[in-house]
Amino acid sequence: GSTAYAAARGTDEVLEIAVPAGTLRRRIAVGGSPGALALGPGGATMYVLLPAQGRVAVVATAEGRTVDAIDLGAGARPAGVTVTAGGDLLLVTADAPAAQDAGLWWIDTATNEVAGTSRGLGLGAGIAATGDGRFAYATGSGGDVLTAINLETGRRFLDIPLGSAPQ
């Protein structure tokens, strides 16, 4: 595409950049210091993690404005985000003060409501979903393991050791 987005950490904005010119088109206010972001299929919707607020900002990219915010609950600090290929689920990994509360949140993108959580997984910031939307793979919080999660059950079914400091 001809557009890129970047989180302007330390501000409350996401930057919209014209590619390949590399010029700033506009700044989009998201209501908090942005972290990771993901675009829905077709690029009409962008999901921006707001770790300090424990929320996900929903941005209509054509309008360049935040249209909704999804609350992950008390103590959740979102770290990783991806959208399933069909666009029906948003997957968010989040840390929490208590390890048993950290895990995976899946959000129905039609309603922007939390559809389920799977806690105690100890996940990090990296997450991806399979093309059929049945499974997710997420890095462990230490980065030395890849965890496979069945999205139908919300359960971990495999941990793949990656060794120390994988690249």
Side-chain angles (χ1 to χ4, degrees):
S2 62
T3 304
Y5 297 93
R9 297 184 190 228
T11 73
D12 69 345
E13 299 173 327
V14 169
L15 307 177
E16 183 180 286
I17 301 163
V19 177
T23 57
L24 178 65
R25 280 192 189 137
R26 64 180 158 188
R27 298 172 181 272
I28 302 169
V30 293
S33 183
L37 52 90
L39 287 172
T45 305
M46 177 173 42
Y47 302 93
V48 182
L49 301 185
L50 304 173
Q53 290 83 13
R55 296 185 329 209
V56 180
V58 182
V59 174
T61 57
E63 300 169 27
R65 68 181 186 90
T66 300
V67 295
D68 202 355
I70 304 162
D71 187 5
L72 299 182
R77 294 185 303 259
V81 62
T82 193
V83 181
T84 57
D88 56 333
L89 286 178
L90 177 70
L91 304 175
V92 177
T93 61
D95 193 6
Q100 70 269 16
D101 293 333
L104 177 67
W105 279 248
W106 49 99
I107 297 160
D108 181 333
T109 58
T111 63
N112 291 332
E113 297 287 330
V114 175
T117 61
S118 189
R119 310 276 176 117
L121 297 177
L123 303 178
I127 184 164
T130 57
D132 61 10
R134 293 179 49 217
F135 305 102
Y137 295 90
T139 58
S141 60
D144 59 350
V145 68
L146 183 68
T147 297
I149 303 155
N150 180 323
L151 294 175
E152 293 173 4
T153 65
R155 294 182 188 252
R156 167 190 308 196
F157 67 90
L158 180 65
D159 283 329
I160 304 164
L162 300 176
S164 178
Q167 296 187 15

